[in-house]
Amino acid sequence: MQRSLERLQLVLLSGFVLIALALGYWQFFRQDDVLARATNPRIAEEARRVVRGKILDRTGKVLAENLPDEDGGNHRTYPVGGMAAVVGYHSGQFGNSGIEAKYDEYLSGTRSADPFERLRDTLYHRPTVGSDVTLTVDARIQQAANDALAGRPGAVVVLDPKTGAVLALASAPTFEPGALDEQWQALLDDPTRPLVNRAVGASYTPGSTFKLVTAAAALDLRLVDPRQKFRCVDPIKIDSLTVDCRNHAHLANVDFREAFAWSCNRTFALTALELGTPKLQLADGLKAPFPWQDALGASANRLEEYARRFMIGRPIPFEIGVEGGQLKGGNAWYPSLLAQTGFGQGEIATTPLHMALVAAAVANGGNVPAPYLTTEITSPSGAVSTQNRGGGVLGRAFEASTAQTLNEMMVLSVDTAYAKPAAIANVKVGGKTGSAEAGPDGSLTHSWFVGYAPADDPRVAIAVIMEHRGSGTDFATPAARSILQRALDVYKR
């Protein structure tokens, strides 16, 4: 009997020891795993009680906030439509994106500009209240951008070229972040890819808007007199590629400024090929041996250098992830590829944000502004953490004198040539159109415009792309005019 009792005690003691070891293991070594389990009801209940901070536009308009539920919890709402490309989404099932992801720690209250407030809330078991995030975007300019896109695939970026503050970042088609959980699978299955932020996450052939970069290189290196006339009538054959002057068939003699305004492909093909030579030879009559035959590598190096100055092929530091794009693929340069790249075709691909920065650099005297979306974060106690002050630069792309000449060329394009639909009464506008061949056989044309206004004291720079719409003059340019007009009305800096 005594031995049986002893065995029973041993079994019970062993059981207690095993349970204690198991509890200790899960509490001390696997605590994080337990807490992180999606099925943990405590986490779900705590998340439901957190009052997530608001996201506000530059005027204080609420773009995202939490509203109370009848059962004591709360839910996330997005009262202004068409802001998903900036604000992103917050979902208990599918995570966060956009500003919701970038500042999740502040919005959810796990981090605060007032650390003592956070400590007091923890000690007194107060419900967690997140901080508010104030953005640079203006809901009125964003609405103008959304109206211009009208739900068809494309993107718009509007920014202050002096400060880098992004005033609008629109992508279409888009989605309703408040209905994300119910529509998730349909959004994934949608062939128009509404979850892709086309303003920063999609790279496109830039077409003739890239001539700004090629022109900047030639002018900055002093390889061309922008006012010297040359005859430009005959097409030229480079490898198997034939490039002509038909965009200005009414002008046999042009200077470099006019060739830019009328978007001459032959001029900018030759410019790219001859960047490594002492002086551009752009007139009719070129014969073998061509000037670029011994300078192809030097010309390519110089175009690559100027593209890098605009961050093309490189990710841009920004609150939302930006696709880097590319100047070319993995193959070595050959003459016709370099020629095509000079006028924005070939293998080059850039985001609308990159091209907005190209225009902004002209408007900013040659400095590429550092773009940003967030100004400050405000805790529930009123403590403020400044995120950006504006005026930073990503680098210097070219000299001020080059910026002045490029400005003249962009104004000339709006005043007299293909960018005329961007003109605004009593306001000088600078701009460049682009009609980029896309698709497997180049038959699908992206409509582009980049520019800024007022050209004599720029406040707003813009890039517009409309996928597969047609020429830049007919679609993106008038769309940009309406957005610029609205931006100038409401944004005074």
Side-chain angles (χ1 to χ4, degrees):
M1 181 65 179
Q2 181 63 32
R3 292 178 62 84
S4 296
L5 287 174
E6 289 176 353
R7 281 199 294 272
L8 179 59
Q9 285 178 329
L10 183 61
V11 169
L12 290 173
L13 182 61
S14 299
F16 284 131
V17 169
L18 285 173
I19 291 171
L21 289 173
L23 287 173
Y25 172 77
W26 285 104
Q27 287 186 354
F28 293 102
F29 297 103
R30 300 293 301 276
Q31 181 186 42
D32 291 343
D33 293 339
V34 173
L35 292 175
R37 288 179 62 181
T39 54
N40 186 339
R42 181 180 167 190
I43 289 183
E45 183 56 28
E46 285 184 356
R48 244 172 45 82
R49 295 183 61 210
V50 170
V51 180
R52 196 171 173 84
K54 297 174 184 173
I55 301 175
L56 311 166
D57 86 344
R58 61 182 293 273
T59 69
K61 192 175 185 64
V62 176
L63 306 178
E65 64 180 338
N66 276 29
L67 293 180
D69 295 326
E70 292 180 354
D71 62 359
N74 61 81
H75 64 279
R76 196 71 165 158
T77 66
Y78 300 86
V80 179
M83 300 298 300
V86 180
V87 173
Y89 58 76
H90 169 69
S91 166
Q93 285 182 269
F94 305 111
N96 303 315
S97 72
I99 290 298
E100 293 274 28
K102 174 65 180 178
Y103 295 103
D104 181 55
E105 287 186 327
Y106 284 102
L107 290 165
S108 64
T110 56
R111 188 176 177 187
S112 173
D114 182 351
F116 295 107
E117 178 186 53
R118 171 72 178 140
L119 179 60
R120 288 192 297 272
D121 289 345
T122 303
L123 291 174
Y124 291 111
H125 301 287
R126 294 172 179 161
T128 302
V129 179
S131 299
D132 296 340
V133 176
T134 302
L135 306 181
T136 57
V137 294
D138 188 309
R140 298 165 295 183
I141 304 173
Q142 183 83 10
Q143 184 61 54
N146 287 326
D147 290 345
L149 292 172
R152 298 183 63 168
V156 175
V157 177
V158 184
L159 57 85
D160 182 328
K162 302 294 185 186
T163 68
V166 174
L167 304 173
L169 192 85
S171 175
T174 186
F175 60 95
E176 171 50 54
L180 186 88
D181 289 351
E182 297 79 17
Q183 299 177 357
W184 181 257
Q185 193 57 50
L187 291 169
L188 289 180
D189 295 339
D190 190 331
T192 65
R193 302 189 301 159
L195 290 174
V196 173
N197 187 340
R198 287 169 159 82
V200 296
S203 294
Y204 299 91
T205 304
S208 293
T209 58
F210 186 75
K211 288 171 182 167
L212 268 168
V213 177
T214 310
L219 292 167
D220 214 44
L221 293 166
R222 295 175 172 75
L223 301 180
V224 63
D225 178 350
R227 294 180 181 276
Q228 182 176 345
K229 294 278 188 179
F230 56 91
R231 184 173 175 80
C232 183
V233 174
D234 298 334
I236 190 165
K237 193 162 187 178
I238 304 159
D239 300 333
S240 59
L241 174 73
T242 299
V243 191
D244 59 39
C245 310
R246 62 184 168 183
N247 284 350
H248 55 87
H250 60 296
L251 291 174
N253 294 295
V254 293
D255 63 24
F256 195 68
R257 301 171 314 135
E258 293 165 328
F260 176 88
W262 290 102
S263 209
C264 177
N265 283 346
R266 200 197 78 165
T267 295
F268 285 88
L270 293 176
T271 299
L273 286 166
E274 298 175 17
L275 284 176
T277 68
K279 186 179 175 68
L280 299 187
Q281 298 181 49
L282 303 173
D284 287 350
L286 284 177
K287 294 180 181 176
F290 296 113
W292 60 83
Q293 288 184 342
D294 294 328
L296 188 70
S299 297
N301 288 341
R302 283 181 160 175
L303 189 62
E304 288 178 350
E305 166 59 24
Y306 277 87
R308 271 196 299 272
R309 295 183 186 189
F310 292 101
M311 305 295 289
I312 291 172
R314 305 163 66 188
I316 295 171
F318 194 49
E319 287 96 330
I320 301 174
V322 181
E323 188 80 20
Q326 63 176 31
L327 187 62
K328 72 172 181 67
N331 296 322
W333 287 107
Y334 50 91
S336 59
L337 177 60
L338 186 57
Q340 290 178 79
T341 307
F343 55 85
Q345 291 291 152
E347 299 170 356
I348 183 173
T350 66
T351 70
L353 178 60
H354 279 90
M355 295 315 298
L357 293 177
V358 171
V362 179
N364 197 29
N367 287 322
V368 183
Y372 65 98
L373 273 170
T374 315
T375 54
E376 61 187 28
I377 295 174
T378 306
S379 76
S381 68
V384 174
S385 171
T386 301
Q387 299 299 299
N388 291 286
R389 297 187 185 279
V393 298
L394 297 176
R396 186 157 186 81
F398 43 77
E399 297 298 322
S401 59
T402 300
Q404 186 175 355
T405 305
L406 288 170
N407 183 44
E408 291 175 15
M409 293 160 61
M410 293 181 76
V411 170
L412 187 67
S413 184
V414 174
D415 286 351
T416 67
Y418 286 125
K420 264 188 173 181
I424 299 173
N426 303 317
V427 177
K428 277 290 181 190
V429 178
K432 182 73 191 80
T433 61
S435 304
E437 296 176 0
D441 58 358
S443 61
L444 302 171
T445 303
H446 294 326
S447 181
W448 276 96
F449 177 85
V450 301
Y452 49 81
D456 47 2
D457 183 19
R459 294 207 312 269
V460 182
I462 190 170
V464 177
I465 179 170
M466 295 178 161
E467 293 181 16
H468 308 156
R469 288 293 292 276
S471 81
T473 299
D474 292 340
F475 298 99
T477 305
R481 191 205 67 79
S482 66
I483 302 166
L484 283 172
Q485 179 71 73
R486 183 60 172 151
L488 292 174
D489 288 344
V490 302
Y491 180 67
K492 305 299 182 186
R493 195 185 293 145

mmCIF file of all heavy atoms in Angstrom, residues 326-358:
data_model
loop_
_atom_site.group_PDB
_atom_site.id
_atom_site.type_symbol
_atom_site.label_atom_id
_atom_site.label_comp_id
_atom_site.label_asym_id
_atom_site.label_seq_id
_atom_site.Cartn_x
_atom_site.Cartn_y
_atom_site.Cartn_z
ATOM 1 N N GLN A 326 14.884 51.316 -65.479
ATOM 2 C CA GLN A 326 16.169 51.020 -66.111
ATOM 3 C C GLN A 326 16.393 51.924 -67.314
ATOM 4 O O GLN A 326 15.443 52.399 -67.931
ATOM 5 C CB GLN A 326 16.215 49.560 -66.579
ATOM 6 C CG GLN A 326 15.179 49.229 -67.661
ATOM 7 C CD GLN A 326 15.291 47.806 -68.184
ATOM 8 O OE1 GLN A 326 15.681 46.908 -67.456
ATOM 9 N NE2 GLN A 326 14.978 47.609 -69.452
ATOM 10 N N LEU A 327 17.683 52.149 -67.618
ATOM 11 C CA LEU A 327 18.019 52.872 -68.851
ATOM 12 C C LEU A 327 18.083 51.899 -70.018
ATOM 13 O O LEU A 327 17.699 52.226 -71.134
ATOM 14 C CB LEU A 327 19.350 53.599 -68.691
ATOM 15 C CG LEU A 327 19.752 54.520 -69.837
ATOM 16 C CD1 LEU A 327 18.748 55.662 -70.009
ATOM 17 C CD2 LEU A 327 21.147 55.100 -69.612
ATOM 18 N N LYS A 328 18.576 50.691 -69.743
ATOM 19 C CA LYS A 328 18.583 49.613 -70.735
ATOM 20 C C LYS A 328 18.621 48.287 -70.002
ATOM 21 O O LYS A 328 18.808 48.245 -68.778
ATOM 22 C CB LYS A 328 19.774 49.727 -71.688
ATOM 23 C CG LYS A 328 21.112 49.392 -71.083
ATOM 24 C CD LYS A 328 22.183 49.338 -72.140
ATOM 25 C CE LYS A 328 23.534 48.963 -71.527
ATOM 26 N NZ LYS A 328 23.569 47.596 -71.023
ATOM 27 N N GLY A 329 18.446 47.195 -70.775
ATOM 28 C CA GLY A 329 18.508 45.863 -70.208
ATOM 29 C C GLY A 329 19.951 45.409 -70.004
ATOM 30 O O GLY A 329 20.866 46.232 -69.896
ATOM 31 N N GLY A 330 20.163 44.100 -70.010
ATOM 32 C CA GLY A 330 21.482 43.572 -69.684
ATOM 33 C C GLY A 330 22.469 43.523 -70.828
ATOM 34 O O GLY A 330 23.651 43.249 -70.619
ATOM 35 N N ASN A 331 22.025 43.777 -72.061
ATOM 36 C CA ASN A 331 22.932 43.695 -73.204
ATOM 37 C C ASN A 331 23.806 44.935 -73.332
ATOM 38 O O ASN A 331 23.474 46.004 -72.799
ATOM 39 C CB ASN A 331 22.140 43.507 -74.497
ATOM 40 C CG ASN A 331 21.378 42.184 -74.505
ATOM 41 O OD1 ASN A 331 21.899 41.174 -74.018
ATOM 42 N ND2 ASN A 331 20.169 42.207 -75.022
ATOM 43 N N ALA A 332 24.909 44.800 -74.064
ATOM 44 C CA ALA A 332 25.805 45.947 -74.291
ATOM 45 C C ALA A 332 25.139 46.946 -75.243
ATOM 46 O O ALA A 332 24.236 46.601 -76.008
ATOM 47 C CB ALA A 332 27.134 45.461 -74.873
ATOM 48 N N TRP A 333 25.589 48.183 -75.151
ATOM 49 C CA TRP A 333 25.081 49.211 -76.063
ATOM 50 C C TRP A 333 25.475 48.900 -77.504
ATOM 51 O O TRP A 333 26.573 48.430 -77.772
ATOM 52 C CB TRP A 333 25.658 50.579 -75.694
ATOM 53 C CG TRP A 333 25.101 51.178 -74.446
ATOM 54 C CD1 TRP A 333 25.726 51.296 -73.245
ATOM 55 C CD2 TRP A 333 23.805 51.765 -74.282
ATOM 56 N NE1 TRP A 333 24.900 51.912 -72.331
ATOM 57 C CE2 TRP A 333 23.713 52.210 -72.945
ATOM 58 C CE3 TRP A 333 22.712 51.956 -75.118
ATOM 59 C CZ2 TRP A 333 22.578 52.838 -72.437
ATOM 60 C CZ3 TRP A 333 21.582 52.575 -74.621
ATOM 61 C CH2 TRP A 333 21.515 53.010 -73.298
ATOM 62 N N TYR A 334 24.585 49.192 -78.427
ATOM 63 C CA TYR A 334 24.901 49.188 -79.850
ATOM 64 C C TYR A 334 24.252 50.435 -80.437
ATOM 65 O O TYR A 334 23.353 51.052 -79.815
ATOM 66 C CB TYR A 334 24.434 47.897 -80.533
ATOM 67 C CG TYR A 334 23.004 47.497 -80.260
ATOM 68 C CD1 TYR A 334 21.980 47.930 -81.103
ATOM 69 C CD2 TYR A 334 22.679 46.695 -79.174
ATOM 70 C CE1 TYR A 334 20.660 47.552 -80.863
ATOM 71 C CE2 TYR A 334 21.364 46.316 -78.926
ATOM 72 C CZ TYR A 334 20.369 46.752 -79.773
ATOM 73 O OH TYR A 334 19.070 46.382 -79.532
ATOM 74 N N PRO A 335 24.687 50.904 -81.625
ATOM 75 C CA PRO A 335 24.274 52.233 -82.099
ATOM 76 C C PRO A 335 22.766 52.466 -82.118
ATOM 77 O O PRO A 335 22.291 53.495 -81.632
ATOM 78 C CB PRO A 335 24.873 52.289 -83.512
ATOM 79 C CG PRO A 335 26.097 51.445 -83.409
ATOM 80 C CD PRO A 335 25.723 50.309 -82.512
ATOM 81 N N SER A 336 21.990 51.538 -82.676
ATOM 82 C CA SER A 336 20.552 51.812 -82.785
ATOM 83 C C SER A 336 19.874 51.808 -81.413
ATOM 84 O O SER A 336 18.892 52.540 -81.213
ATOM 85 C CB SER A 336 19.876 50.802 -83.711
ATOM 86 O OG SER A 336 20.053 49.491 -83.234
ATOM 87 N N LEU A 337 20.374 51.037 -80.447
ATOM 88 C CA LEU A 337 19.790 51.060 -79.101
ATOM 89 C C LEU A 337 20.060 52.406 -78.429
ATOM 90 O O LEU A 337 19.165 53.003 -77.817
ATOM 91 C CB LEU A 337 20.349 49.918 -78.249
ATOM 92 C CG LEU A 337 19.846 49.898 -76.793
ATOM 93 C CD1 LEU A 337 18.329 49.750 -76.726
ATOM 94 C CD2 LEU A 337 20.524 48.771 -76.003
ATOM 95 N N LEU A 338 21.293 52.907 -78.548
ATOM 96 C CA LEU A 338 21.611 54.205 -77.952
ATOM 97 C C LEU A 338 20.807 55.316 -78.628
ATOM 98 O O LEU A 338 20.313 56.240 -77.966
ATOM 99 C CB LEU A 338 23.114 54.474 -78.072
ATOM 100 C CG LEU A 338 23.628 55.738 -77.374
ATOM 101 C CD1 LEU A 338 23.290 55.732 -75.890
ATOM 102 C CD2 LEU A 338 25.141 55.875 -77.572
ATOM 103 N N ALA A 339 20.649 55.200 -79.959
ATOM 104 C CA ALA A 339 19.871 56.206 -80.692
ATOM 105 C C ALA A 339 18.415 56.219 -80.219
ATOM 106 O O ALA A 339 17.835 57.282 -79.963
ATOM 107 C CB ALA A 339 19.938 55.914 -82.192
ATOM 108 N N GLN A 340 17.809 55.050 -80.093
ATOM 109 C CA GLN A 340 16.417 54.974 -79.632
ATOM 110 C C GLN A 340 16.277 55.509 -78.207
ATOM 111 O O GLN A 340 15.307 56.202 -77.883
ATOM 112 C CB GLN A 340 15.922 53.528 -79.669
ATOM 113 C CG GLN A 340 15.737 52.958 -81.056
ATOM 114 C CD GLN A 340 15.298 51.512 -80.979
ATOM 115 O OE1 GLN A 340 14.130 51.224 -80.729
ATOM 116 N NE2 GLN A 340 16.232 50.610 -81.168
ATOM 117 N N THR A 341 17.247 55.183 -77.367
ATOM 118 C CA THR A 341 17.181 55.654 -75.981
ATOM 119 C C THR A 341 17.207 57.173 -75.928
ATOM 120 O O THR A 341 16.553 57.787 -75.084
ATOM 121 C CB THR A 341 18.355 55.069 -75.178
ATOM 122 O OG1 THR A 341 18.376 53.648 -75.336
ATOM 123 C CG2 THR A 341 18.217 55.395 -73.695
ATOM 124 N N GLY A 342 17.935 57.780 -76.855
ATOM 125 C CA GLY A 342 18.018 59.237 -76.891
ATOM 126 C C GLY A 342 16.674 59.907 -77.043
ATOM 127 O O GLY A 342 16.470 61.023 -76.560
ATOM 128 N N PHE A 343 15.729 59.233 -77.734
ATOM 129 C CA PHE A 343 14.391 59.830 -77.838
ATOM 130 C C PHE A 343 13.343 59.034 -77.044
ATOM 131 O O PHE A 343 12.143 59.103 -77.298
ATOM 132 C CB PHE A 343 13.955 60.041 -79.300
ATOM 133 C CG PHE A 343 13.978 58.839 -80.206
ATOM 134 C CD1 PHE A 343 12.907 57.955 -80.266
ATOM 135 C CD2 PHE A 343 15.059 58.613 -81.048
ATOM 136 C CE1 PHE A 343 12.913 56.869 -81.125
ATOM 137 C CE2 PHE A 343 15.084 57.531 -81.917
ATOM 138 C CZ PHE A 343 14.004 56.655 -81.959
ATOM 139 N N GLY A 344 13.818 58.276 -76.044
ATOM 140 C CA GLY A 344 12.898 57.696 -75.052
ATOM 141 C C GLY A 344 12.276 56.386 -75.427
ATOM 142 O O GLY A 344 11.277 55.980 -74.819
ATOM 143 N N GLN A 345 12.864 55.685 -76.394
ATOM 144 C CA GLN A 345 12.367 54.341 -76.741
ATOM 145 C C GLN A 345 13.456 53.320 -76.375
ATOM 146 O O GLN A 345 14.139 53.507 -75.389
ATOM 147 C CB GLN A 345 11.998 54.294 -78.226
ATOM 148 C CG GLN A 345 10.768 55.133 -78.572
ATOM 149 C CD GLN A 345 9.457 54.590 -78.026
ATOM 150 O OE1 GLN A 345 8.518 55.330 -77.777
ATOM 151 N NE2 GLN A 345 9.384 53.303 -77.815
ATOM 152 N N GLY A 346 13.577 52.243 -77.107
ATOM 153 C CA GLY A 346 14.564 51.217 -76.765
ATOM 154 C C GLY A 346 14.112 50.410 -75.563
ATOM 155 O O GLY A 346 12.958 49.993 -75.483
ATOM 156 N N GLU A 347 15.002 50.246 -74.594
ATOM 157 C CA GLU A 347 14.711 49.405 -73.431
ATOM 158 C C GLU A 347 14.486 50.224 -72.155
ATOM 159 O O GLU A 347 14.323 49.653 -71.073
ATOM 160 C CB GLU A 347 15.873 48.431 -73.213
ATOM 161 C CG GLU A 347 16.086 47.491 -74.396
ATOM 162 C CD GLU A 347 17.380 46.688 -74.309
ATOM 163 O OE1 GLU A 347 18.157 46.915 -73.350
ATOM 164 O OE2 GLU A 347 17.614 45.856 -75.206
ATOM 165 N N ILE A 348 14.456 51.524 -72.266
ATOM 166 C CA ILE A 348 14.313 52.385 -71.093
ATOM 167 C C ILE A 348 12.913 52.253 -70.495
ATOM 168 O O ILE A 348 11.918 52.112 -71.227
ATOM 169 C CB ILE A 348 14.613 53.858 -71.462
ATOM 170 C CG1 ILE A 348 14.534 54.741 -70.219
ATOM 171 C CG2 ILE A 348 13.685 54.349 -72.547
ATOM 172 C CD1 ILE A 348 14.970 56.169 -70.473
ATOM 173 N N ALA A 349 12.840 52.292 -69.161
ATOM 174 C CA ALA A 349 11.550 52.233 -68.459
ATOM 175 C C ALA A 349 11.687 53.042 -67.170
ATOM 176 O O ALA A 349 12.646 52.869 -66.418
ATOM 177 C CB ALA A 349 11.172 50.795 -68.135
ATOM 178 N N THR A 350 10.738 53.940 -66.936
ATOM 179 C CA THR A 350 10.794 54.799 -65.746
ATOM 180 C C THR A 350 9.404 54.927 -65.132
ATOM 181 O O THR A 350 8.395 54.728 -65.799
ATOM 182 C CB THR A 350 11.296 56.212 -66.084
ATOM 183 O OG1 THR A 350 10.324 56.862 -66.925
ATOM 184 C CG2 THR A 350 12.612 56.190 -66.795
ATOM 185 N N THR A 351 9.369 55.323 -63.873
ATOM 186 C CA THR A 351 8.084 55.554 -63.216
ATOM 187 C C THR A 351 7.628 57.000 -63.466
ATOM 188 O O THR A 351 8.450 57.886 -63.749
ATOM 189 C CB THR A 351 8.185 55.344 -61.697
ATOM 190 O OG1 THR A 351 8.955 56.408 -61.127
ATOM 191 C CG2 THR A 351 8.816 54.000 -61.358
ATOM 192 N N PRO A 352 6.336 57.273 -63.322
ATOM 193 C CA PRO A 352 5.869 58.664 -63.405
ATOM 194 C C PRO A 352 6.545 59.573 -62.378
ATOM 195 O O PRO A 352 6.804 60.741 -62.676
ATOM 196 C CB PRO A 352 4.360 58.527 -63.146
ATOM 197 C CG PRO A 352 4.018 57.168 -63.681
ATOM 198 C CD PRO A 352 5.201 56.312 -63.319
ATOM 199 N N LEU A 353 6.865 59.049 -61.177
ATOM 200 C CA LEU A 353 7.550 59.898 -60.194
ATOM 201 C C LEU A 353 8.921 60.316 -60.714
ATOM 202 O O LEU A 353 9.330 61.471 -60.562
ATOM 203 C CB LEU A 353 7.696 59.166 -58.856
ATOM 204 C CG LEU A 353 8.450 59.942 -57.769
ATOM 205 C CD1 LEU A 353 7.756 61.266 -57.448
ATOM 206 C CD2 LEU A 353 8.600 59.116 -56.497
ATOM 207 N N HIS A 354 9.658 59.397 -61.330
ATOM 208 C CA HIS A 354 10.963 59.758 -61.901
ATOM 209 C C HIS A 354 10.810 60.898 -62.912
ATOM 210 O O HIS A 354 11.583 61.870 -62.902
ATOM 211 C CB HIS A 354 11.594 58.548 -62.607
ATOM 212 C CG HIS A 354 12.283 57.585 -61.691
ATOM 213 N ND1 HIS A 354 11.635 56.523 -61.118
ATOM 214 C CD2 HIS A 354 13.568 57.514 -61.254
ATOM 215 C CE1 HIS A 354 12.490 55.832 -60.370
ATOM 216 N NE2 HIS A 354 13.677 56.422 -60.438
ATOM 217 N N MET A 355 9.808 60.787 -63.802
ATOM 218 C CA MET A 355 9.675 61.806 -64.846
ATOM 219 C C MET A 355 9.181 63.132 -64.270
ATOM 220 O O MET A 355 9.517 64.195 -64.794
ATOM 221 C CB MET A 355 8.746 61.300 -65.953
ATOM 222 C CG MET A 355 9.285 60.086 -66.714
ATOM 223 S SD MET A 355 11.047 60.211 -67.201
ATOM 224 C CE MET A 355 11.022 61.640 -68.280
ATOM 225 N N ALA A 356 8.390 63.080 -63.201
ATOM 226 C CA ALA A 356 8.004 64.325 -62.532
ATOM 227 C C ALA A 356 9.236 65.019 -61.964
ATOM 228 O O ALA A 356 9.354 66.255 -61.999
ATOM 229 C CB ALA A 356 6.996 64.037 -61.424
ATOM 230 N N LEU A 357 10.194 64.234 -61.455
ATOM 231 C CA LEU A 357 11.416 64.816 -60.905
ATOM 232 C C LEU A 357 12.313 65.399 -61.995
ATOM 233 O O LEU A 357 13.048 66.362 -61.756
ATOM 234 C CB LEU A 357 12.180 63.778 -60.084
ATOM 235 C CG LEU A 357 11.485 63.322 -58.792
ATOM 236 C CD1 LEU A 357 12.299 62.247 -58.090
ATOM 237 C CD2 LEU A 357 11.259 64.506 -57.851
ATOM 238 N N VAL A 358 12.268 64.810 -63.202
ATOM 239 C CA VAL A 358 13.035 65.383 -64.321
ATOM 240 C C VAL A 358 12.519 66.795 -64.617
ATOM 241 O O VAL A 358 13.296 67.756 -64.741
ATOM 242 C CB VAL A 358 12.922 64.485 -65.569
ATOM 243 C CG1 VAL A 358 13.523 65.192 -66.794
ATOM 244 C CG2 VAL A 358 13.632 63.150 -65.337
#
